[in-house]
């Protein structure tokens, strides 16, 4: 991933006059009081959330305070008699995963509940996007009270020394970084119409007319101050007298891009009913979930993050000039990378959305160079392997021969580049390069070679399917030769590193990244290889708070999704307990809206990604892929079921469901139900006659003592915590009991442990605040 976030933080620091020492001060620990008992846990001290539509260019930010920010301005909220600015960090999503952001708080007996979502008025994602906001105030006291709320606008959404907003950027071509917005103008003219605030005669937001609001151009006491990007202007203030138990609601509508007051959009937006569009929004997203893979375990956080991750990636997907462009988020990473795009696109295939994957893949060919290499960012040769790998993965999961025929000329051209490049290289590997990213070292980049081998291996089935056996043989020969050359170099290098695979194969230094990918996303080295073991050990030693770290400019940061590379390897190696611990550690580092970040968060510091805004699309894709692989995954010709389960899921009366899960071998549907002393696995798989699995391997949890396993009434042997079941099995009955002293692992326990440790560290640093 591009380190744009760090650059933005540095630039903003310079602009604001914030030096390195001041920035370092911002990394001090925040008070543990932010973790309130009874509220959903949010790792971030200053979270950002997103509302938007699938395939639309724009995404609206919910700022750390809870305001509504676009590239054209920010809708800001105030409450109470003194018009105190709203500052509420704990938000949730409707049903835990839909892009309808909700938060609420209570002050002086009055509760304020805010609900916000985005939609286009005609359902076309290319149409102008509108933000809908509803505020419900309710009197919880035993006497009549007056509830007060005010709404205004300001240009920026700066908080905590960093501007979390957009700068307008027009992309030169589809896939380039871009942001819809406008630069600040101190000479803007503001005025009220009957039910809207206008700026230079453009509608900034519409407001409720009942109860009748008081209109104020500035906050009280600020009437003569110069308007700056941070100045709230154009406010409407409401006062509603409420009897005990009574409530009232206010609705505000904010176009992402302001439109002229005489535009036809004005009348359409006036007529747009909040409840109707909320219902449409929920229905449209629910329809998407009903089409893909359904995975549910008896732990809401795991489920909600799985589903919310799909939403975040779909909101980051744009339609630009006839292309479906998979970006990473709608904020600082509003651009296309072959690496991020390949992982996200593969996630669509792995979790039941082949059409979305196919649409994305049609854009990949734009990044093939005349020489055959795939490059989206200069010097980053990982794109060659990622493009071919995801091409092969899409075919193997969708069995779409029309796609295979379309991309085959690209594949042939790419293989031609690799052949010439390796022939010229003294190590017969991907040539030396300086990617200026990820590994941050110049040389033969280890991960680029792992990915290239993954790409070669996955195009062999395409050649076979298209009736090109000679090509398939040539690809296999190239793979074998390449694998031998890489293994030879790895043995030489790791002899000096006690087995640890370094980021580069011919120089010291660099950051751990692709060197952690010997067995993920594709298996290049044997999972039990001493080199894989040593690399796992070495990188685990760099963990902080249970997740992987990353160095940048002398600082050590936690990196939310690098950890998944190790976790996926552990799933393959059968290290169930370690994989589960890392899953929960990763979930601890998500927001209450189930989103992940990238990095720029120092261990045991202020819990703020700064300008590296969540939600992060690569995190989302990796998380969904991990959960899928824990439930069902392919390895060679075998199909593996339930590679990792949690003790929190295996409880009487609970059920794990996996429905509509595509695999190389066909669709998997299964339910695992737990009852006293036993578990019943019901299968309804639809395997391909032409590609049935060699073996179906059922993994048994390490914390259970298995007594017997039978498939359709036939007793089966258990070996090494695994059972091989016939491919046509319909029911598997397991008799078992929980082992004495089995650990109690869960998300809630992981959060509780983290919060307790965080508080301890904080009060050790601030003993005077302990009481």
């Amino acid at each position: 991933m591009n380190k744009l976030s760090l650059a933005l933080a540095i630039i903003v620091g310079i602009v604001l006059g914030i030096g390195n020492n001041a920035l370092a001060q911002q990394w001090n620990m925040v008070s543990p009081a932010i973790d309130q008992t009874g509220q959903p846990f949010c790792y971030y001290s200053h979270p950002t959330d997103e509302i938007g539509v699938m395939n639309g260019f724009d995404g609206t930010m919910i700022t750390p305070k809870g305001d509504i920010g676009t590239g054209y301005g920010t809708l800001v909220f105030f409450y109470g008699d003194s018009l105190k600015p709203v500052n509420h960090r704990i938000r949730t999503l409707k049903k835990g995963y839909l892009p309808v952001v909700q938060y609420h708080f209570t002050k002086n007996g009055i509760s304020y509940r805010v609900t916000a979502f985005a939609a286009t008025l005609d359902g076309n994602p290319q149409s102008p996007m509108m933000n809908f906001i509803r505020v419900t105030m309710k009197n919880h006291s035993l006497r009549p009270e007056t509830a007060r709320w005010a709404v205004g606008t300001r240009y920026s959404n700066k908080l905590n020394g960093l501007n979390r907003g957009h700068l307008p950027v027009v992309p030169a071509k589809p896939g380039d970084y871009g942001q819809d917005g406008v630069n600040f103008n101190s000479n803007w003219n503001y005025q009220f119409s009957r039910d809207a605030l206008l700026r230079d005669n453009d509608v900034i937001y519409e407001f409720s007319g009942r109860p009748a609001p008081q209109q104020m151009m500035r906050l009280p006491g600020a009437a003569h101050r110069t308007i700056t990007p941070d100045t709230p202007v154009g406010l409407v203030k409401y006062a509603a007298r409420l009897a005990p138990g009574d409530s009232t609601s206010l609705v505000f509508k904010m176009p992402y891009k302001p439109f002229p007051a005489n535009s036809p959009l004005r009348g359409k937006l006036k007529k747009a009913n909040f409840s109707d569009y909320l219902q449409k929004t929920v229905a449209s997203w629910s329809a998407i979930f009903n089409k893909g893979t359904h995975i549910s375990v008896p732990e809401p956080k795991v489920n909600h993050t799985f589903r919310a991750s799909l939403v975040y990636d779909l909101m980051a997907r744009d339609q630009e000039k006839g292309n479906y462009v998979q970006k990473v988020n709608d904020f600082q990473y509003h651009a296309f990378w072959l690496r991020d795009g390949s992982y996200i696109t593969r996630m669509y295939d792995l979790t039941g959305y082949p059409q979305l994957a196919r649409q994305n893949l049609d854009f990949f060919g734009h990044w093939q160079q005349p020489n055959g290499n795939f490059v989206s960012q200069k010097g980053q040769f990982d794109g060659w392997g990622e493009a071919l790998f995801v091409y092969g993965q899409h075919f193997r999961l969708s069995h779409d021969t029309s796609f295979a025929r379309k991309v085959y000329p690209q594949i042939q051209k790419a293989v031609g580049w690799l052949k010439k490049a390796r022939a010229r290289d003294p190590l017969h590997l991907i040539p030396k390069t300086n990617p200026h990213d990820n590994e941050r070292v110049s040389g033969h980049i280890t991960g680029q070679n792992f990915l290239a081998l993954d790409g070669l291996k996955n195009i062999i089935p395409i050649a076979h399917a298209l009736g090109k056996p000679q090509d398939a043989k040539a690809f296999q020969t190239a793979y074998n030769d390449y694998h031998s050359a890489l293994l030879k170099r790895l043995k030489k290098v790791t002899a000096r590193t006690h087995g640890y695979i370094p980021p580069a194969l011919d120089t010291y230094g660099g950051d751990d990244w692709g060197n952690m990918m010997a067995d993920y996303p594709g298996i290049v080295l044997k999972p039990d290889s001493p080199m894989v073991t040593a690399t796992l050990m070495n990188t685990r030693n760099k963990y902080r708070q249970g997740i992987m770290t990353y160095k940048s400019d002398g600082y050590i940061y936690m990196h939310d999704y690098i950890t998944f590379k190790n976790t996926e390897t552990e799933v393959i190696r059968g290290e169930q307990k370690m994989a589960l611990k890392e899953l929960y550690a990763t979930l601890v580092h998500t927001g209450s809206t189930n989103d992940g970040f990238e990095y720029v968060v120092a261990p045991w510091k202020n819990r703020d990604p700064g300008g590296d805004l969540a939600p992060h699309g690569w995190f989302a894709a990796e998380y969904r892929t991990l959960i899928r692989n824990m439930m069902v995954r392919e390895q060679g010709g075998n199909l593996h079921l339930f590679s990792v389960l949690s003790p929190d899921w295996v409880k009487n009366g609970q059920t794990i469901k996996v429905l509509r899960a595509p695999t190389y071998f066909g669709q998997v549907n299964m339910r695992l139900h737990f009852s006293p002393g036993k578990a019943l696995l019901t299968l309804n798989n639809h395997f391909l006659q032409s590609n049935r699995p060699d073996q179906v391997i059922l993994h048994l949890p390490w914390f259970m003592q298995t007594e017997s396993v039978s498939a359709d009434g036939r007793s089966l042997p258990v070996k090494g915590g695994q059972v091989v079941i016939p491919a046509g099995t319909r029911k598997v009955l397991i008799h078992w009991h929980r082992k004495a002293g089995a650990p109690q692992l869960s998300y809630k326990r992981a959060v509780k442990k983290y919060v307790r440790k965080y508080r301890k560290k904080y009060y050790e640093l601030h003993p005077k605040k302990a009481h």
Side-chain angles (χ1 to χ4, degrees):
M1 170 56 68
N2 176 292
K3 301 304 174 291
L4 178 60
S5 56
L6 182 62
L8 284 175
I10 294 171
I11 291 170
V12 171
I14 293 171
V15 170
L16 297 176
I18 301 173
N20 287 337
N21 290 336
L23 284 173
Q25 288 296 317
Q26 292 186 16
W27 296 335
N28 291 336
M29 295 182 78
V30 294
S31 170
I34 67 172
D35 300 321
Q36 295 289 321
T37 302
Q39 288 189 338
F41 178 73
C42 178
Y43 174 74
Y44 313 122
S45 59
H46 295 84
T48 52
D49 293 306
E50 180 181 354
I51 52 176
V53 300
M54 173 180 168
N55 299 332
F57 186 81
D58 298 318
T60 296
M61 179 190 298
I62 312 298
T63 74
K65 283 187 173 184
D67 299 327
I68 312 296
T70 75
Y72 295 88
T74 301
L75 201 66
V76 293
F77 305 131
F78 306 86
Y79 70 95
D81 295 343
S82 60
L83 294 187
K84 186 175 181 179
V86 169
N87 188 356
H88 198 74
R89 59 181 284 273
I90 301 296
R91 280 96 70 163
T92 59
L93 301 179
K94 191 173 183 64
K95 294 187 177 182
Y97 56 90
L98 296 173
V100 179
V101 174
Q102 308 168 130
Y103 65 89
H104 68 277
F105 59 95
T106 301
K107 297 291 182 181
N108 300 323
I110 303 294
S111 68
Y112 304 87
R113 182 174 296 274
V114 180
T115 302
F117 66 93
T120 60
L121 297 178
D122 60 1
N124 180 354
Q126 303 302 295
S127 297
M129 192 175 78
M130 307 295 169
N131 299 299
F132 293 79
I133 305 98
R134 182 174 65 196
V135 181
T136 299
M137 302 181 290
K138 184 174 181 178
N139 181 8
H140 292 272
S141 72
L142 299 177
R143 62 183 182 183
E145 295 285 355
T146 300
R148 290 182 170 86
W149 187 266
V151 172
T153 184
R154 69 174 180 226
Y155 175 75
S156 75
N157 47 47
K158 188 193 304 177
L159 184 69
N160 197 33
L162 290 174
N163 193 333
R164 314 288 174 130
H166 311 292
L167 296 175
V169 177
V170 178
K173 64 180 183 299
D176 283 356
Y177 176 78
Q179 285 295 346
D180 219 353
V182 64
N183 289 309
F184 174 73
N185 184 347
S186 60
N187 294 318
W188 277 324
N189 177 54
Y190 298 88
Q191 65 184 69
F192 283 106
S193 69
R194 187 171 61 86
D195 57 0
L197 174 71
L198 308 182
R199 187 176 71 194
D200 285 351
N201 209 39
D202 287 344
V203 175
I204 300 299
Y205 74 92
E206 292 188 354
F207 51 84
S208 290
R210 294 183 182 179
Q214 176 187 353
Q215 298 178 356
M216 306 178 294
M217 198 50 67
R218 312 278 187 89
L219 284 169
H224 300 294
R225 295 179 184 174
T226 301
I227 294 178
T228 72
D230 299 318
T231 304
V233 296
L235 297 100
V236 288
K237 177 183 175 182
Y238 297 85
R241 190 70 174 170
L242 300 176
D246 280 358
S247 64
T248 188
S249 293
L250 309 170
V251 171
F252 306 94
K253 304 168 191 175
M254 178 191 186
Y256 185 95
K257 180 178 182 179
F259 55 78
N262 61 359
S263 166
L265 284 172
R266 182 74 188 278
K268 294 178 181 178
L269 186 58
K270 277 178 175 291
K271 295 177 181 178
N273 179 273
F274 180 94
S275 296
D276 289 345
Y277 275 86
L278 175 59
Q279 184 178 10
K280 290 178 183 179
T281 298
V282 170
S284 64
W285 284 102
S286 297
I288 292 171
F289 283 104
N290 291 336
K291 293 178 182 178
T293 300
H294 173 85
I295 295 177
S296 64
V297 301
E299 195 168 18
K301 177 68 176 184
V302 175
N303 297 332
H304 292 162
T305 306
F306 181 76
R307 293 165 194 163
S309 293
L310 177 65
V311 172
Y312 290 136
D313 278 332
L314 290 176
M315 285 196 297
R317 198 175 88 136
D318 299 346
Q319 275 184 276
E320 299 177 30
K321 297 182 179 180
N323 301 290
Y324 288 90
V325 183
Q326 182 63 62
K327 299 182 179 179
V328 182
N329 66 19
D330 283 323
F331 305 144
Q332 86 282 15
Y333 286 134
H334 195 217
F336 175 82
W337 283 262
L338 278 168
R339 66 168 71 100
D340 303 59
S342 67
Y343 280 85
I344 296 170
T345 300
R346 180 176 180 242
M347 176 274 291
Y348 292 146
D349 269 325
L350 288 171
T351 58
Y353 298 95
Q355 183 179 4
L356 299 179
R358 171 66 187 271
Q359 291 170 340
N360 280 3
L361 290 173
D362 286 342
F363 185 64
F364 277 52
H366 291 236
W367 302 93
Q368 187 169 36
Q369 307 300 303
N371 63 7
N373 196 7
F374 282 86
V375 180
S376 58
Q377 280 73 35
K378 185 178 179 180
Q380 297 177 10
F381 292 167
D382 53 339
W384 189 96
E386 284 152 347
L388 267 64
F389 176 74
V390 74
Y391 280 0
Q393 285 285 289
H394 178 68
F395 172 74
R396 297 178 74 180
L397 288 158
S398 69
H399 315 287
D400 184 351
T401 54
S402 66
F403 167 78
R405 283 191 293 269
K406 179 178 179 179
V407 299
Y408 201 70
Q410 296 177 30
I411 290 173
Q412 291 175 308
K413 191 175 181 180
V415 172
W417 174 84
L418 182 67
K419 182 178 180 180
K420 292 177 182 179
R422 287 190 59 224
R424 291 191 297 262
D425 185 75
L427 300 182
H428 302 294
L429 302 174
I430 288 276
K432 283 186 176 182
T433 186
N434 187 352
H436 298 287
D437 202 357
N438 297 342
E439 291 88 354
R440 304 206 312 157
V441 64
S442 180
H444 287 87
I445 308 300
T446 307
Q448 294 180 356
N449 290 280
F450 284 149
L451 287 165
L453 284 166
D454 291 339
L456 269 176
K457 179 182 288 186
N458 277 272
I459 61 174
I460 294 171
I462 292 180
H464 279 301
L466 295 181
K468 299 181 182 294
Q470 293 303 316
D471 284 359
K473 183 178 180 181
F475 295 161
Q476 184 65 62
T477 299
Y479 178 89
N480 294 342
D481 180 71
Y482 192 173
H483 191 277
S484 296
L486 177 60
L487 190 59
K488 178 181 177 181
R489 187 63 187 179
L490 283 171
K491 288 179 177 179
K492 183 175 181 179
V493 172
T494 56
R496 305 192 301 266
T497 61
H498 305 287
Y500 162 70
I501 302 170
L505 297 167
D506 51 1
T507 186
Y508 294 103
D511 293 313
D512 293 298
W513 192 278
N515 55 312
M516 300 165 64
M517 297 162 61
D519 288 317
Y520 175 77
I523 296 178
V524 176
L525 303 181
K526 291 181 179 180
D528 60 355
S529 161
M531 288 186 285
V532 174
T533 301
T535 305
L536 279 172
M537 294 281 290
N538 186 290
T539 52
R540 282 176 189 159
N541 287 336
K542 299 173 185 177
Y543 283 15
R544 298 292 184 275
Q545 297 176 200
I547 64 174
M548 186 59 182
T549 55
Y550 186 83
K551 289 183 179 180
S552 182
D553 295 333
Y555 294 97
I556 295 178
Y557 300 101
M558 294 178 295
H559 199 299
D560 214 7
Y561 62 82
I562 293 182
T563 316
F564 287 127
K565 303 180 193 305
N566 277 352
T567 311
E568 291 277 11
T569 302
E570 291 152 4
V571 170
I572 294 169
R573 285 164 57 98
E575 298 176 6
Q576 299 181 33
K577 186 176 179 180
M578 180 60 70
L580 189 64
K581 284 185 174 181
E582 290 178 7
L583 169 70
Y584 286 136
T586 302
L587 284 174
V588 166
H589 292 84
T590 59
S592 54
T593 51
N594 306 312
D595 54 347
F597 67 99
E598 187 181 28
Y599 84 126
V600 199
V601 182
W604 304 114
K605 296 298 181 183
N606 73 347
R607 293 164 54 173
D608 186 6
D612 186 40
L613 307 179
H616 196 284
W618 196 345
F619 170 91
E622 290 276 37
Y623 178 83
R624 278 181 64 86
T625 298
L626 174 63
I627 297 300
R628 182 266 188 188
N629 288 343
M630 288 170 61
M631 300 293 107
V632 54
R633 63 182 177 87
E634 308 88 343
Q635 186 173 341
N638 296 335
L639 181 66
H640 293 255
L641 307 180
F642 299 118
S643 295
V644 179
L645 296 180
S646 169
D648 200 51
W649 308 341
V650 183
K651 294 180 179 178
N652 295 339
Q654 298 185 151
T655 302
I656 296 174
K657 296 180 183 178
V658 180
L659 307 175
R660 304 184 299 274
T663 71
Y664 299 165
F665 314 109
Q667 190 184 89
V668 168
N669 298 278
M670 55 188 183
R671 289 176 170 82
L672 183 59
H673 182 75
F674 308 109
S675 53
K678 60 184 178 181
L680 178 63
L681 172 61
T682 304
L683 298 156
N684 184 23
N685 301 327
H686 304 290
F687 294 137
L688 302 169
Q689 291 301 317
S690 59
N691 191 31
R692 294 170 69 83
D694 296 333
Q695 291 184 328
V696 177
I697 300 173
L698 173 64
H699 293 255
L700 300 167
W702 90 95
F703 51 85
M704 300 298 290
Q705 181 64 53
T706 303
E707 297 155 6
S708 65
V709 178
S710 61
D712 293 336
R714 178 187 171 191
S715 180
L716 297 176
V718 178
K719 185 177 181 181
Q722 302 177 4
V723 179
V724 177
I725 63 176
T729 298
R730 291 295 180 179
K731 291 186 178 181
V732 178
L733 181 61
I734 307 167
H735 285 92
W736 58 15
H737 63 272
R738 193 173 294 260
K739 294 179 180 178
Q744 297 296 311
L745 300 175
S746 69
Y747 167 71
K748 287 184 178 179
R749 288 184 175 88
V751 167
K752 186 176 181 179
K753 181 179 179 181
Y754 168 80
V755 169
R756 184 170 59 245
K757 191 170 183 179
Y758 186 89
R759 291 178 63 88
K760 182 175 183 293
K761 286 181 174 288
Y762 180 85
Y763 289 123
E764 285 173 353
L765 289 172
H766 306 282
K768 293 182 179 180
K769 298 181 180 181
H771 302 291

